Amino acid sequence: MGNLNQIYLPHPRAGGMGIRGGLIMALVLLDGCCRRPVPPCPAETPLAVRVTEDRPQARYLNREKATFTIEVTAGGRRATRGEVDVWLSRDGGPENIEKKRFDLSVQSPIQVAGAVDEPAFFLCQAWAKVDRAQAYGEKMVWYRAPTDLAPATIELTPDRPEALYRLGEPVLFSARVLQHGKPVTDGRLELRLSREGGPDSIAKESFDLACDRTLKISGTLHEASFLHCQARLTRESDKGHPVSTWISVGYDVERIVPETVMPKDFEVFWHETLAKARSLPEDVELEKIEELSNAKATYYRFSINTLNQERVYGFLGIPCGPGPFPALVFYPGWGTGSGLPGDLSITACGAITLMMNVHKYPVAGSPAEAKKQLEKYNAQQHVSNYVQAGISSRETFHFHSVFAGFCRALDYIRARDDWDRKHLVLFGGSQGGFLTLSIAGLCADRVSSAIASVPYLCDYRRSHRESDRTALDTMAYYDPANFARFIRCPIQLSVAFADGSCPPATVFSAYNAIPRQDKQIMMEPRDAHGTTPDRQAMERDCILRGLGLRW
């Protein structure tokens, strides 16, 4: 694939810190004073914690029990003294964490078990203390809803596992239709190829499953883009509810360019916007969260003033000790926002953390109340989705004052005496990826590294061709593909080839616009929107590396 090799990320190890909806939610509350990083064990008795699950694939159906084995070794031998604190949590907490403490003189190795009853990540964390030595280990497993065995399932597979092709090279898609693990022998399967799922078909095939056993379709592209293969199964037994799915493969993905055109006054508009916001007297409000603050870190509800007499809200975590500390700023996925700090473990490891919500009010701690807040805001704006609020104008768009406020929040972090003047990392997934790319471009001289997973709203014109002209004109000022041109820091992206929310061609549009040569992108050819254990591990590793920390 020529110079495309530079964008491959070495395959990351599975497991890692739980990230759901773009937020890191792992909870590590270690005893004693804060330190960065945890001191190594004495050389003569190195301490290690290894956590393993009872299924190598680390995947479970809802309510199935997952059993974790925790082995603690000192000097390469099983530890027979000391204590181990174990936490089991859904998505890493911070709520409903099951905590246990074990005496290694009584039980070694240790086994713990649990389950969750809905699609989520289930995290086992273990912290061992033997004499003065300390060590940490964790394992994440993935729960999903049980497959409904009544409908059939369609499996689509391209003839290259990496799903990457050069222009004009044919791809052969193979399909399998299964029910109860066996081939379906009734109904009709339709396969269709198109450029990026558009209305014009490149190839179409129809199969009678009663007699056809070879279900294949072939096609190619002659322009840098993604070729979509869509499948639709129609059977009488499905009662008018056909089964459908799709996958895609990339063609010359490193040559995909944005269809969104940068406005001629793009730079001037944002320069004037930020200058106006920064001319406002800074008004930062901090409210200590007593129930979360501990010997390792202090947590606050945070807000700062922005344009239009509005405020942006979030949560600030400050490690104990004199510092200086690196800083992580992370942005949430689309939705009601978070009423609790999104990360506690990174703060406990010795980093300032700032999690910013996109809503212009303090988000309630209760998910039900947060939902009501958002419904009220949407009703006031006469929209069904806050992303549409004020889209008739670049100055009234929902994210106008939000972007300005987020840049002011970075200025606040950089002005703190306990910041290390070196590490300022941005992270987010989906909507958080959209924000990460945008703020990394707006504050290019202030950010040291960034991680944007499956970023949302990239190359907006490409994926919203039917939108009205006013919306397209406004979004051009907020498109990550335009901000990407100004990014100057090392950056890691991820893309899923079956992602309908953040289509892969739009992600590559933004990625290819980034001028840095050391940028990286993790490609997941078979995955859709959301997150995966491999992606979580990559994100965790990039964050810690960017901060100069380790567990």
Side-chain angles (χ1 to χ4, degrees):
M1 298 297 294
N3 63 5
L4 189 60
N5 288 328
Q6 69 182 358
I7 68 175
Y8 285 134
L9 182 79
H11 186 72
R13 61 186 180 275
M17 187 166 47
I19 301 177
R20 191 180 189 202
L23 297 181
I24 310 171
M25 299 296 286
L27 178 64
V28 183
L29 299 180
L30 308 181
D31 296 334
C33 296
C34 291
R35 56 183 69 88
R36 174 173 54 88
V38 174
C41 306
E44 65 273 17
T45 58
L47 193 65
V49 177
R50 182 171 180 261
V51 184
T52 56
E53 74 281 28
D54 57 347
R55 292 185 184 176
Q57 71 274 24
R59 285 169 167 79
Y60 299 79
L61 297 180
N62 296 350
R63 301 185 182 88
E64 285 186 334
K65 184 173 70 173
T67 300
F68 300 94
T69 300
I70 302 157
E71 298 175 281
V72 182
T73 57
R77 299 180 180 181
R78 181 176 296 174
T80 56
R81 69 180 189 276
E83 294 181 333
V84 180
D85 288 322
V86 179
W87 294 270
L88 295 176
S89 59
R90 173 184 175 276
D91 285 338
E95 298 177 323
N96 301 320
I97 298 177
E98 182 181 353
K99 303 179 181 180
K100 298 180 180 180
R101 176 165 290 180
F102 296 89
D103 186 338
L104 288 172
S105 66
V106 176
Q107 185 176 354
S108 181
I110 298 163
Q111 283 198 330
V112 293
V116 295
D117 58 4
E118 62 177 323
F121 289 93
F122 190 41
L123 178 65
C124 175
Q125 297 169 294
W127 184 51
K129 293 184 292 184
V130 177
D131 299 331
R132 298 179 62 185
Q134 305 172 12
Y136 173 77
E138 65 174 35
K139 176 61 67 174
M140 180 80 72
V141 299
W142 195 3
Y143 275 78
R144 62 179 177 84
T147 301
D148 185 351
L149 296 180
T153 59
I154 307 171
E155 296 180 2
L156 296 173
T157 308
D159 54 2
R160 293 182 185 174
E162 73 277 13
L164 295 173
Y165 298 80
R166 286 303 182 194
L167 301 187
E169 290 183 342
V171 54
L172 181 66
F173 292 97
S174 300
R176 291 203 309 164
V177 185
L178 303 174
Q179 188 170 28
H180 302 285
K182 299 179 180 180
V184 170
T185 57
D186 68 305
R188 180 163 292 277
L189 178 70
E190 297 175 344
L191 299 179
R192 174 179 174 268
L193 303 184
S194 64
R195 177 187 177 275
E196 298 180 23
D200 298 328
S201 297
I202 292 172
K204 295 178 71 174
E205 298 285 353
S206 182
F207 304 92
D208 183 349
L209 297 182
C211 54
D212 292 322
R213 293 293 177 265
T214 302
L215 311 176
K216 298 179 183 292
I217 189 171
S218 182
T220 189
L221 286 177
H222 298 282
E223 59 181 316
S225 184
F226 273 78
L227 181 65
H228 285 215
C229 179
Q230 297 165 297
R232 176 185 173 94
L233 172 67
T234 305
R235 299 189 303 171
E236 290 186 6
S237 58
D238 290 329
K239 300 177 181 179
H241 297 284
V243 177
S244 63
T245 189
W246 69 278
I247 61 172
S248 73
V249 299
Y251 276 82
D252 279 14
V253 294
E254 75 277 17
R255 295 172 56 191
I256 295 174
V257 296
E259 294 184 6
T260 299
V261 177
M262 179 184 290
K264 293 181 179 179
D265 63 344
F266 182 88
E267 292 182 74
V268 172
F269 170 72
W270 282 111
H271 176 79
E272 293 178 348
T273 296
L274 296 187
K276 182 178 179 180
R278 286 173 171 144
S279 69
L280 299 172
E282 184 182 88
D283 179 17
V284 172
E285 293 182 359
L286 296 174
E287 178 188 353
K288 185 177 179 181
I289 307 175
E290 297 288 351
E291 61 270 26
L292 291 181
S293 298
N294 57 79
K296 291 197 68 68
T298 304
Y299 299 94
Y300 302 90
R301 292 178 178 86
F302 169 89
S303 71
I304 189 169
N305 59 320
T306 183
L307 298 173
N308 307 324
Q309 298 183 326
E310 296 175 333
R311 303 185 71 83
V312 288
Y313 297 84
F315 296 91
L316 178 68
I318 304 295
C320 297
F325 306 108
L328 170 68
V329 180
F330 54 102
Y331 305 113
W334 179 90
T336 59
S338 177
L340 290 170
D343 179 80
L344 304 179
S345 63
I346 296 292
T347 315
C349 282
I352 298 169
T353 56
L354 179 66
M355 189 281 287
M356 295 301 301
N357 282 310
V358 300
H359 303 303
K360 302 173 184 181
Y361 50 80
V363 175
S366 161
E369 288 302 315
K371 181 180 178 182
K372 291 179 181 178
Q373 286 179 310
L374 183 55
E375 290 172 347
K376 180 180 178 180
Y377 176 80
N378 288 342
Q380 292 172 339
Q381 299 295 319
H382 306 289
V383 295
S384 59
N385 180 349
Y386 63 87
V387 177
Q388 304 165 338
I391 203 168
S392 61
S393 162
R394 63 185 186 178
E395 288 85 3
T396 61
F397 186 42
H398 173 85
F399 286 100
H400 183 239
S401 61
V402 171
F403 277 18
F406 283 7
C407 291
R408 298 201 82 199
L410 291 192
D411 294 344
Y412 165 78
I413 294 295
R414 286 170 51 85
R416 288 185 61 94
D417 292 337
D418 52 4
W419 178 57
D420 69 4
R421 302 294 186 271
K422 182 178 180 181
H423 301 95
L424 182 55
V425 181
L426 306 186
F427 166 70
S430 190
Q431 176 187 263
F434 152 69
L435 295 164
T436 296
L437 290 175
S438 301
I439 303 303
L442 277 173
C443 300
D445 59 339
R446 291 165 167 79
V447 178
S448 62
S449 65
I451 305 98
S453 287
V454 291
Y456 184 44
L457 297 179
C458 296
D459 202 1
Y460 188 83
R461 183 179 295 270
R462 186 184 209 102
S463 56
H464 294 78
R465 293 185 176 91
E466 304 304 319
S467 297
D468 65 78
R469 180 60 182 269
T470 300
L472 292 175
D473 289 346
T474 296
M475 286 305 301
Y477 288 92
Y478 295 86
D479 199 308
N482 286 334
F483 287 113
R485 295 172 168 89
F486 303 96
I487 292 174
R488 297 294 180 266
C489 66
I491 189 164
Q492 171 80 55
L493 274 70
S494 64
V495 58
F497 286 12
D499 190 338
S501 299
C502 305
T506 68
V507 176
F508 274 102
S509 291
Y511 177 78
N512 293 335
I514 298 170
R516 289 192 66 95
Q517 295 300 311
D518 58 351
K519 60 189 177 182
Q520 296 283 331
I521 187 165
M522 178 182 183
M523 292 177 281
E524 297 179 297
R526 302 300 301 276
D527 291 304
H529 198 61
T531 190
T532 66
D534 284 352
R535 194 186 306 163
Q536 286 188 319
M538 175 275 289
E539 293 164 338
R540 188 267 314 269
D541 290 345
C542 288
I543 288 169
L544 293 178
R545 187 166 61 250
L547 293 170
L549 297 178
R550 62 175 176 83
W551 285 122

